[in-house]
Amino acid sequence: MGHSIHNEQERETVTNIVMIPSSRNHAEHPPSVHRVGVPPKLDLMKEFKHTVKETLFADDPLRNFRDQPRSKKLLLGIQAVFPILEWGRRYSYKKFIGDLIAGLTIASLAIPQDIGYSKLAHLPPQYGLYSSFVPPLVYSILGSSRDIAIGPVAVISLLLGSLLQEEIDPVLNPVEYYRLAFTATFFAGVTQAALGICRLGFLVDFLSHAAIVGFMAGAAVTISLQQLKGFLGIKKFTTKTDIVSVMRSVWQPVHHGWNWQSLVIGVVFLSFLLATKHIAKRNKRFFWVAAISPMLSVIVSTFFVYITRADKHGLPIVGGITKGINKSSVEKIYFSGSFVGKGFKIGLIAAFVALTEAIAIGRTFAAMKDYSIDGNKEMVALGIMNVVGSMTSCYVATGSFSRSSVNYTSGCQTAVSNIVMSVVVMLTLLLITPLFHYTPNAILSAIIISAVLGLIDFEAAWLIWKIDKLDFVACLGAFLGVLFISVEIGLLIAVAISFAKILLHVTRPHTALLGNIPSTSIYRNIEQYPDAIKTPGIVITRIDSAIYFSNSNYVRERVLRWLSDEEERAQQMDRPPIQFLIIEMSPVIDIDTSGIHAMDDLYKSLQKREVQLILANPGYRVVHKLHESKLNELIGDDKIFLSVAEAVQTCSSKLKLDV
């Protein structure tokens, strides 16, 4: 960590006069020093319980059950498992009207998107619709978010499609491919529910915001490029997702493989969809224009193909969509054999990405409406939803940002909007799926491209660059990994860089050199406060981290380097030699055995240099461990102070007496 050395010769001259009292004044007015409190001996079991509670139950989920009669506790327990019973008691006709409008609106957006997203996962169109029928119904009963809209999403569809086809060819072995998709969905649900039940929701937070921004942007570009197959009517297309392979597949058939009808339909309707999104963005009152434009585009383009029979002239169309609601797929899930492990691996990856997206969306809209959601309960709800979905011919569903945004803007009040959407999708499956037979693939590609472009957040990327360059590296790494290698490698890079950043901060904590703010007793970082004054003969440092085995040696070496730099500077400027090293310990929330050994080594090193080690404001845990290790006796209890100001006051008077 780079730290500049503060150079204030004139201020130090003033400090010699002002900051160091004379021996006569010291004798008459001894400094008032408060002793650092020694905590009572920690009870091991209490400490363990406290740690477990703060790790797994930080939100204190049982607080509503305290001091309640047994019947009330039972009711609260049932409502905790089924939130619909809690908010359903206050449901009203006015809320239903808002939910009805929102549900119909998101259904008009979801149906064409579902058909398109299923193609990303290399599944028949009906499976996309199935996944917007059963999962939203389950979530509306178990979920706590009022605004999230459930269904297939582009990123998960692409992720599943790319991972599944690495194991089974969807063209050569479609039945086995579908079975593996249901197996992956089952294990995704089991993983999500297990994380929620075990209160391990914090694991999702290890994927940083910057990494998510980069991953989503890379996935959006990859999805958009893959849609060129339908956009241009290309028949032979790569199964790989990297940009090089995709662009090779696009340009190789440029002279004989592009379909001009597909290109015209794609360009016209993509322009229309982007125009409606722009109108809705400029004026929130016209949100419905963007919401119904995908369904309107499907209707118009399908009618056009039907009356012109453009499919007879080579225009690729969707073809038949199986009529009827979801069939049971319990017997199709692999519970034994080699595909169980493969399904578990794919499901595990999909589970984390789906959770990250859903919880981020839920928290965003909850904050906008000033209510809270329980991340662990959400995980359980999403997990059970996907387990049930895997048994009813669905693939992994989660919260969709585009649909949730429309749901929120449309005035949804509760999760009933998801129920309304499910009913509309059910009616579509029962009654009108044959009407999608002539829908051109180009229109589905245009709908997907218009939907995923919103995942590219330039403003967020620019803000990340301005705030934290290391975060931007994580963002860029995830983006390039998805774009040039594969979706799963991009995700791996995102996680790896996020962990690397954590390790960097843990192993190389920030340290600072402190100086006195003039006319106060406050000591702050001299880099942040250039006017802060350093005291001659005393070096004051601050360690901005807990001291653990991973950073203890670095902390000791960095403190000694601060001391060496200040000693050299004192010699060059003919100042008093450094006699005291004060370490501000208030940011040090904990210290382990390695940290104690490092402090012991530091003390011995300072003794050889005839410098006294002084500790200021150590916390509860640190003081306890200093006493348990007897390090306080080695350093001296009279050299442990409540504040830096008291330490400087005492050391300055001793420094004057020793000179």
Side-chain angles (χ1 to χ4, degrees):
M1 309 293 285
H3 299 276
S4 64
I5 302 300
H6 189 56
N7 184 12
E8 292 286 349
Q9 182 175 352
E10 293 182 1
R11 290 195 180 92
E12 288 188 351
T13 303
V14 174
T15 305
N16 287 328
I17 301 172
V18 177
M19 296 294 293
I20 306 176
S22 66
S23 59
R24 181 168 56 84
N25 289 337
H26 173 66
E28 294 176 0
H29 304 285
S32 176
V33 177
H34 299 85
R35 291 183 59 83
V36 174
V38 179
K41 190 171 182 178
L42 296 176
D43 181 270
L44 181 61
M45 186 53 65
K46 287 183 179 180
E47 182 71 7
F48 176 75
K49 288 181 179 179
H50 176 76
T51 302
V52 171
K53 179 182 177 181
E54 290 303 311
T55 302
L56 303 179
F57 304 96
D59 56 343
D60 195 10
L62 300 179
R63 61 186 180 278
N64 293 331
F65 291 80
R66 295 190 189 121
D67 303 323
Q68 297 289 346
R70 184 172 298 179
S71 58
K72 181 66 173 179
K73 287 181 179 179
L74 178 62
L75 177 61
L76 290 173
I78 295 173
Q79 290 178 350
V81 177
F82 303 103
I84 191 172
L85 299 178
E86 193 272 328
W87 56 260
R89 294 182 299 124
R90 301 187 301 274
Y91 201 67
S92 63
Y93 177 76
K94 183 178 180 181
K95 289 182 178 180
F96 174 71
I97 295 299
D99 288 333
L100 178 64
I101 295 172
L104 293 173
T105 305
I106 58 175
S108 67
L109 176 65
I111 292 169
Q113 282 186 350
D114 293 341
I115 297 172
Y117 290 161
S118 62
K119 288 185 173 293
L120 283 177
H122 307 297
L123 293 168
Q126 63 267 20
Y127 288 109
L129 295 171
Y130 292 162
S131 301
S132 276
F133 171 40
V134 173
L137 287 176
V138 177
Y139 180 84
S140 63
I141 297 171
L142 301 174
S144 57
S145 173
R146 306 172 194 168
D147 303 280
I148 195 170
I150 297 295
V153 297
V155 174
I156 300 298
S157 301
L158 174 67
L159 181 65
L160 278 178
S162 63
L163 292 175
L164 290 171
Q165 71 178 357
E166 289 179 3
E167 306 297 339
I168 301 174
D169 190 313
V171 178
L172 299 178
N173 299 294
V175 176
E176 299 298 311
Y177 183 88
Y178 304 158
R179 292 189 65 185
L180 186 58
F182 299 144
T183 304
T185 302
F186 174 80
F187 283 113
V190 170
T191 301
Q192 291 171 332
L195 288 173
I197 292 170
C198 297
R199 310 290 296 179
L200 297 176
F202 63 87
L203 293 178
V204 178
D205 295 332
F206 279 102
L207 195 59
S208 67
H209 171 71
I212 293 172
V213 169
F215 175 77
M216 290 296 185
V221 174
T222 299
I223 291 168
S224 299
L225 291 175
Q226 285 203 326
Q227 295 317 299
L228 293 176
K229 175 185 178 182
F231 207 78
L232 302 173
I234 300 172
K235 295 181 180 179
K236 292 184 178 180
F237 207 77
T238 181
T239 58
K240 298 180 179 179
T241 59
D242 64 280
I243 187 173
V244 176
S245 300
V246 171
M247 294 312 297
R248 188 181 292 120
S249 294
V250 170
W251 287 108
Q252 278 180 348
V254 64
H255 296 296
H256 53 82
W258 287 12
N259 185 288
W260 69 267
Q261 297 104 316
S262 291
L263 181 60
V264 170
I265 291 174
V267 170
V268 170
F269 283 99
L270 179 60
S271 301
F272 169 69
L273 291 168
L274 294 177
T276 57
K277 289 183 72 173
H278 179 71
I279 292 171
K281 188 176 181 179
R282 292 286 299 272
N283 193 330
K284 299 296 183 183
R285 291 181 301 171
F286 295 115
F287 69 90
W288 55 271
V289 176
I292 67 170
S293 59
M295 181 59 79
L296 184 62
S297 299
V298 168
I299 294 171
V300 173
S301 62
T302 302
F303 179 72
F304 173 78
V305 172
Y306 177 74
I307 62 173
T308 61
R309 297 313 305 265
D311 58 306
K312 298 291 186 181
H313 302 284
L315 178 69
I317 59 174
V318 170
I321 300 179
T322 303
K323 190 176 180 181
I325 60 174
N326 311 35
K327 297 178 181 178
S328 173
S329 56
V330 177
E331 70 284 354
K332 296 180 181 179
I333 299 173
Y334 287 111
F335 291 108
S336 62
S338 60
F339 286 123
V340 174
K342 295 174 181 179
F344 176 76
K345 182 192 74 172
I346 296 170
L348 184 68
I349 297 171
F352 273 93
V353 178
L355 280 179
T356 302
E357 187 169 1
I359 292 176
I361 293 169
R363 286 174 177 170
T364 298
F365 289 105
M368 293 170 67
K369 284 191 174 180
D370 195 26
Y371 69 93
S372 61
I373 62 172
D374 185 330
N376 290 294
K377 285 184 182 179
E378 285 295 287
M379 289 182 179
V380 174
L382 292 166
I384 294 175
M385 173 189 82
N386 279 312
V387 168
V388 174
S390 70
M391 298 178 180
T392 52
S393 301
C394 304
Y395 71 96
V396 179
T398 188
S400 165
F401 186 80
S402 59
R403 297 184 205 179
S404 299
S405 180
V406 170
N407 197 30
Y408 171 82
T409 310
S410 303
C412 74
Q413 300 296 316
T414 67
V416 170
S417 60
N418 274 295
I419 298 176
V420 173
M421 180 190 70
S422 294
V423 171
V424 174
V425 172
M426 179 192 69
L427 294 175
T428 301
L429 285 165
L430 289 173
L431 303 174
I432 64 174
T433 48
L435 300 180
F436 292 106
H437 179 88
Y438 292 101
T439 301
N441 288 338
I443 194 65
L444 299 179
S445 297
I447 290 170
I448 292 173
I449 291 173
S450 68
V452 300
L453 287 179
L455 298 177
I456 305 175
D457 196 338
F458 293 103
E459 291 183 5
W462 175 243
L463 185 62
I464 291 169
W465 166 259
K466 290 194 297 182
I467 293 175
D468 192 324
K469 301 300 185 290
L470 195 59
D471 260 357
F472 186 77
V473 170
C475 178
L476 188 63
F479 175 77
L480 296 178
V482 172
L483 201 60
F484 286 97
I485 307 177
S486 65
V487 177
E488 59 270 27
I489 294 299
L491 181 62
L492 182 62
I493 291 174
V495 173
I497 295 178
S498 297
F499 269 101
K501 183 182 177 184
I502 294 172
L503 290 175
L504 181 62
H505 285 301
V506 170
T507 59
R508 294 294 182 267
H510 180 266
T511 60
L513 198 63
L514 306 186
N516 176 248
I517 304 297
S519 303
T520 72
S521 60
I522 299 171
Y523 290 80
R524 291 292 183 266
N525 187 348
I526 61 174
E527 289 188 347
Q528 184 178 0
Y529 297 92
D531 292 336
I533 303 169
K534 291 187 288 187
T535 306
I538 303 175
V539 174
I540 310 170
T541 66
R542 188 183 67 216
I543 302 169
D544 295 331
S545 168
I547 305 176
Y548 292 136
F549 66 93
S550 58
N551 62 23
S552 57
N553 285 328
Y554 171 79
V555 168
R556 177 178 56 82
E557 292 168 2
R558 189 67 189 91
V559 170
L560 288 174
R561 198 157 15 120
W562 278 125
L563 178 62
S564 298
D565 291 343
E566 290 302 301
E567 284 179 333
E568 290 177 9
R569 187 165 176 273
Q571 279 186 338
Q572 292 172 1
M573 303 182 66
D574 195 24
R575 294 297 176 214
I578 304 300
Q579 298 181 40
F580 296 96
L581 173 67
I582 301 174
I583 301 180
E584 159 69 290
M585 299 285 285
S586 56
V588 182
I589 58 173
D590 201 0
I591 186 170
D592 67 0
T593 307
S594 298
I596 292 292
H597 282 297
M599 294 299 289
D600 182 68
D601 292 341
L602 176 62
Y603 172 80
K604 292 173 182 176
S605 297
L606 294 178
Q607 287 297 105
K608 293 176 184 178
R609 299 164 75 157
E610 297 183 349
V611 176
Q612 296 296 314
L613 175 61
I614 307 295
L615 303 182
N617 195 23
Y620 178 91
R621 291 176 179 271
V622 176
V623 171
H624 170 73
K625 293 180 181 181
L626 289 177
H627 280 260
E628 288 295 312
S629 64
K630 307 298 183 183
L631 187 59
N632 66 304
E633 296 178 5
L634 181 65
I635 296 173
D637 286 323
D638 60 333
K639 294 183 175 64
I640 302 177
F641 293 87
L642 189 63
S643 68
V644 174
E646 290 184 354
V648 171
Q649 185 181 22
T650 302
C651 293
S652 296
S653 47
K654 289 183 179 180
L655 179 66
K656 179 64 177 178
L657 291 171
D658 293 341
V659 174

